[in-house]
Amino acid sequence: MIRHRTRRLAAILSTAATLLIGTTPPSSAALPAMDTHRIAVTRFGNDAPWYEGRIPFFESADRRIDAVYYYRWSLFRAHQRDLGVRGFISTEFLDDVSWQLEPWASLNDATGFHIGEGRWLRDRRYADDYIAHMYNGGNDRHFTDYMADSVWGRYLVDGDRDGATRHLPAMRRLYDQWDDHLDRGKGLYWTEPLADATEYTIASIDASGGLDGFFGGQAFRPSINAYMFANARAIAGIARLANDGATAATFDNRAATLKTTFQRDLWSPALRHFIDRHQRTTPFVTYWQPIRGRELVGYVPWAFDMVDDDPAYATAWSHLISPDELGGPAGMRTVEPSYEHYMRQYRYEGGTFAGGLRECQWNGPVWPFQTTQVLLGLANLLDHYRQTVVTPSDYTRLLRQYTQLHYQGELLDIEEDYFPDTGRPLVGLARSHHYFHSGYVDLILGGLVGIRPRADDMLEVNPILPPTGDPQSLSWFRVQDVPYHGHRIAVTWDADGRHYGRAAGLAIEIDGREVAHRSTMGRLTVPITRLAPPPIVRPIDRAVQLKRGDFPKGSTSSATDPENVHDAIDGRVWFFPELGNGWSSDPKARQQWYAIDFGKPTALTRAELAFFADGGRFAVPVSYRMQAWNGSGWYDLPAVGDRPLANGITHVRWKPATTSQIRILFDQQPNRAMRLVEVKLF
């Protein structure tokens, strides 16, 4: 995730100078706030209340960036799975996949993106619950990850010392477990590309002699070594917060040693790029042999400031903007076209090409996963490295290119990977719709807007935007309601002052008061008094069924397939039509019911009902009624509730009641099925 690290005295002086040179006194009043209610209703329809009090609101001169920004928040919302007493986690796939960690459907490879996005929410529960889950059995090291670093990145935004330090012992244990992937002779970490969530890389394909590459190809990779560096540095920082000097010193040393070894041994002077080296000998490759081409993964270390500020290393970025190398016309290629097995397909779901659909490959396709990491690294490079290879114009061009990948026609739907020449989705599998193994909000707030979260009591803003007149420039933008160190901040850019009718330039507001302004684009740094973060409220959903067959158990009046019944109490809420979710009733009978058996007396006082409607097959019910079981029969709860709401949350309340079962009666619309996305009971 994007963060600022002071790299040299000149950078400090340059930052401080922005308060004196090219600045104007702040206005006595802030800009008028955006109409967040109108924006939320426009972007999210009936589900607007979930977003209004939680997300930072953003607008700019680029409507497509705006649309994808809000789509990405709907993606975040859709991937929140309620686990009941364990709280919320973020999922990578909307629905179940065979390799997830049961019974939660958690996967650890995307945690960095999930927390990197979630740290910008004013409701801190989602990131907090997720972190606690992952450090309490939810991270099985199925994949490589940078979990500790993402916790540190969250601390840089919310300033919650206790929220970070409480997990320090678990962080240390998890880090030490990765010693089984440390080659002590070389001082570097290795991984199988599949366990790096990047199957079919150069290392794995070449280790198979070009015949496959799904398994095998263990290699010393820039990714795992960057992750372990970032995690070590984060643990050191968190240990200092906990006044644990010994741990801080140990992990500072681990990070520094790994960085030195990585730069010495994984930099290829011939390719001018960070590359893999093979970790195992096969009939086709030998131990410590460098791979024979450039891959996009070589930029990942910059996302964590692992690379020295040396112009020689910065030359690697020339390959990203070269159309013959990693810079594809529709997105960043994961491997260059010069590689012998570029875009060659090896695996299909269902067998051969004639009988199956393409599976995942990292031998050329565009992946939002790594595109995000590269843009995070590029933002760091442009913020605080000395180099002349790439410019802010490159960042905004590549950001717009990535933005376009979210579109399929006018439909917003981010998928797993794409053809680099056309931008069309490559993997044609149902699981790929609205895939959450990437970031975007972080690229807007930390990159384009330039909020550079810090551990000290300073607020720093340095937008990554080219000057006015550049084809990639933005003439205006504004973001507001951004949580930072216990405050709400806003950042506004107006190149000529015409859009907002105020002084031209860049302005910062804290809690509705303008505190800094400069007439030109550049860095602004202001002191900010740290406040305690708002408390986290944690109502517990008592209706979640994690394991099929366990209590709570669902039953229905129709469409009784067990998976169909389970889907209404699986803790998942989304309204995307591309991938159905919830109990879908039989449309023939007007009267329907859905019941939940808790297996024991349970105290309840309210419900949240989520209905999906599409204007065709599915419609919300005409009415509903809440009932409870008294041991011998059903009785109506004296409930007060909203009218049934399509694609949003219908709230119902009643006086506290203790019961072992709840039933909801529905009066369906004629000849229309009902999809009950989720029942939540509190």
Side-chain angles (χ1 to χ4, degrees):
M1 57 195 65
I2 295 172
R3 59 179 50 80
H4 171 71
R5 296 177 66 227
T6 303
R7 306 183 64 84
R8 56 191 183 279
L9 179 61
I12 298 173
L13 296 175
S14 175
T15 298
T18 61
L19 295 176
L20 302 174
I21 301 172
T23 63
T24 57
S27 169
S28 60
L31 286 165
M34 288 185 272
D35 186 345
T36 56
H37 175 71
R38 178 188 60 79
I39 294 171
V41 171
T42 300
R43 298 292 182 181
F44 308 114
N46 288 337
D47 204 29
W50 189 92
Y51 301 88
E52 281 191 67
R54 291 185 170 95
I55 70 170
F57 283 81
F58 173 78
E59 63 181 10
S60 76
D62 190 317
R63 294 183 178 181
R64 292 216 147 195
I65 289 177
D66 293 4
V68 173
Y69 174 84
Y70 289 109
Y71 163 71
R72 291 299 301 223
W73 278 122
S74 71
L75 190 76
F76 182 93
R77 150 80 156 145
H79 281 272
Q80 297 311 301
R81 187 182 187 192
D82 193 337
L83 302 181
V85 295
R86 285 184 73 97
F88 284 88
I89 66 165
S90 295
T91 60
E92 182 177 338
F93 297 90
L94 282 180
D95 217 341
D96 295 317
V97 292
S98 61
W99 56 94
Q100 67 193 20
L101 185 59
E102 298 289 3
W104 308 305
S106 61
L107 288 165
N108 69 301
D109 53 328
T111 52
F113 299 117
H114 297 160
I115 298 169
E117 305 285 272
R119 66 181 178 152
W120 298 108
L121 281 173
R122 301 204 303 278
D123 185 343
R124 298 167 53 247
R125 179 183 185 184
Y126 298 97
D128 203 73
D129 283 0
Y130 187 39
I131 292 167
H133 170 83
M134 296 303 285
Y135 280 123
N136 186 29
N139 188 341
D140 63 346
R141 297 197 304 136
H142 191 103
F143 297 101
T144 57
D145 68 57
Y146 46 100
M147 183 78 197
D149 177 77
S150 63
V151 174
W152 175 251
R154 181 200 181 213
Y155 165 74
L156 296 182
V157 171
D158 72 6
D160 183 0
R161 177 181 175 276
D162 291 341
T165 58
R166 73 169 65 104
H167 302 294
L168 182 59
M171 290 177 186
R172 292 192 59 179
R173 286 193 301 271
L174 193 64
Y175 193 95
D176 289 342
Q177 287 171 11
W178 280 99
D179 282 354
D180 62 5
H181 282 65
L182 175 62
D183 185 317
R184 295 189 182 277
K186 296 298 185 184
L188 291 168
Y189 290 88
W190 59 269
T191 186
E192 182 182 22
L194 177 61
D196 211 21
T198 57
E199 57 273 16
Y200 293 107
T201 66
I202 293 178
S204 61
I205 293 171
D206 283 1
S208 75
L211 301 176
D212 193 26
F214 186 75
F215 296 107
Q218 287 82 351
F220 303 98
R221 310 202 75 218
S223 47
I224 186 174
N225 286 284
Y227 299 163
M228 297 306 290
F229 164 82
N231 286 334
R233 186 188 56 189
I235 292 170
I238 291 168
R240 275 187 283 275
L241 294 179
N243 298 314
D244 184 349
T247 295
T250 296
F251 281 87
D252 276 336
N253 182 63
R254 289 186 182 185
T257 301
L258 182 57
K259 174 180 176 176
T260 298
T261 306
F262 163 79
Q263 291 186 136
R264 183 191 67 208
D265 291 340
L266 296 191
W267 174 256
S268 169
L271 294 174
R272 292 183 300 130
H273 205 63
F274 288 108
I275 62 165
D276 293 10
R277 286 181 180 268
H278 290 283
Q279 189 267 342
R280 294 188 186 176
T281 296
T282 76
F284 308 101
V285 298
T286 59
Y287 176 82
W288 201 239
Q289 176 185 340
I291 61 169
R292 54 184 176 128
R294 300 186 192 98
E295 295 179 308
L296 202 64
V297 70
Y299 298 113
V300 169
W302 273 278
F304 306 99
D305 279 327
M306 188 185 192
V307 183
D308 280 339
D309 189 2
D310 184 337
Y313 293 134
T315 60
W317 290 87
S318 65
H319 313 305
L320 180 67
I321 57 177
S322 168
D324 297 325
E325 297 175 299
L326 294 169
M332 303 177 193
R333 300 182 179 104
T334 48
V335 174
E336 292 183 353
S338 58
Y339 176 52
E340 178 185 358
H341 302 292
Y342 173 76
M343 292 299 293
R344 178 176 172 184
Q345 190 70 29
Y346 291 89
R347 183 174 290 245
Y348 299 87
E349 186 178 83
T352 63
F353 175 70
L357 296 169
R358 292 182 181 91
E359 266 285 1
C360 302
Q361 308 272 140
W362 286 76
N363 56 355
V366 181
W367 281 81
F369 162 12
Q370 214 157 76
T371 295
T372 304
Q373 292 180 322
V374 173
L375 286 171
L376 292 171
L378 181 54
N380 282 341
L381 187 80
L382 292 167
D383 180 75
H384 49 263
Y385 281 77
R386 298 167 298 168
Q387 57 82 38
T388 57
V389 180
V390 286
T391 68
S393 184
D394 293 312
Y395 181 85
T396 48
R397 178 183 64 81
L398 293 169
L399 177 65
R400 284 186 163 113
Q401 186 185 63
Y402 176 37
T403 299
Q404 184 59 39
L405 288 181
H406 290 74
Y407 282 90
Q408 297 183 32
E410 290 302 309
L411 174 70
L412 286 165
D413 182 3
I414 191 72
E415 298 206 30
E416 287 185 84
D417 60 344
Y418 296 81
F419 289 98
D421 294 333
T422 66
R424 290 188 293 106
L426 192 153
V427 173
L429 305 174
R431 70 169 194 236
S432 295
H433 292 296
H434 308 291
Y435 179 56
F436 194 19
H437 193 173
S438 60
Y440 190 85
V441 170
D442 214 16
L443 300 175
I444 299 299
L445 300 183
L448 189 148
V449 173
I451 302 170
R452 311 293 301 183
R454 294 170 52 150
D456 60 6
D457 295 328
M458 300 295 291
L459 169 59
E460 182 176 359
V461 174
N462 183 31
I464 307 297
L465 273 179
T468 302
D470 187 287
Q472 298 297 335
S473 66
L474 279 177
S475 57
W476 56 269
F477 69 70
R478 176 175 170 82
V479 65
Q480 67 178 55
D481 301 324
V482 181
Y484 188 75
H485 291 203
H487 299 268
R488 290 191 190 184
I489 66 170
V491 180
T492 305
W493 163 249
D494 193 344
D496 56 16
R498 294 180 182 178
H499 186 78
Y500 291 109
R502 301 286 293 271
L506 181 69
I508 298 176
E509 301 160 38
I510 299 178
D511 297 330
R513 184 175 67 88
E514 188 174 306
V515 296
H517 178 271
R518 57 176 294 157
S519 58
T520 59
M521 181 62 68
R523 196 183 308 272
L524 279 175
T525 309
V526 296
I528 187 167
T529 303
R530 189 182 302 256
L531 299 179
I536 297 174
V537 180
R538 286 189 170 90
I540 304 300
D541 178 12
R542 303 297 177 182
V544 176
Q545 182 188 55
L546 295 179
K547 295 182 180 179
R548 279 77 162 168
D550 284 2
F551 291 106
K553 294 181 179 180
S555 59
T556 64
S557 55
S558 69
T560 58
D561 175 78
E563 196 63 23
N564 188 33
V565 175
H566 165 75
D567 281 354
I569 51 173
D570 65 355
R572 296 172 165 120
V573 176
W574 74 77
F575 304 107
F576 295 129
E578 293 81 17
L579 195 60
N581 177 43
W583 171 59
S584 299
S585 70
D586 187 329
K588 297 175 184 177
R590 289 288 299 274
Q591 303 299 317
Q592 300 278 350
W593 55 263
Y594 190 100
I596 301 169
D597 184 350
F598 303 100
K600 61 182 179 181
T602 303
L604 301 167
T605 188
R606 67 181 182 90
E608 295 178 3
L609 310 177
F611 300 105
F612 172 79
D614 59 3
R617 177 186 174 189
F618 295 103
V620 298
V622 175
S623 62
Y624 61 90
R625 198 161 82 243
M626 305 294 302
Q627 294 187 320
W629 181 255
N630 64 11
S632 59
W634 295 101
Y635 69 95
D636 287 350
L637 285 168
V640 176
D642 302 336
R643 295 178 59 185
L645 190 68
N647 306 323
I649 304 303
T650 300
H651 295 273
V652 194
R653 293 185 177 275
W654 56 87
K655 291 182 179 180
T658 299
T659 180
S660 62
Q661 297 183 61
I662 287 285
R663 186 169 73 171
I664 315 166
L665 303 179
F666 303 101
D667 181 15
Q668 290 193 146
Q669 294 193 31
N671 301 314
R672 293 290 187 273
M674 182 186 69
R675 177 173 286 167
L676 180 62
V677 172
E678 192 72 12
V679 179
K680 292 192 173 192
L681 295 167
F682 303 90

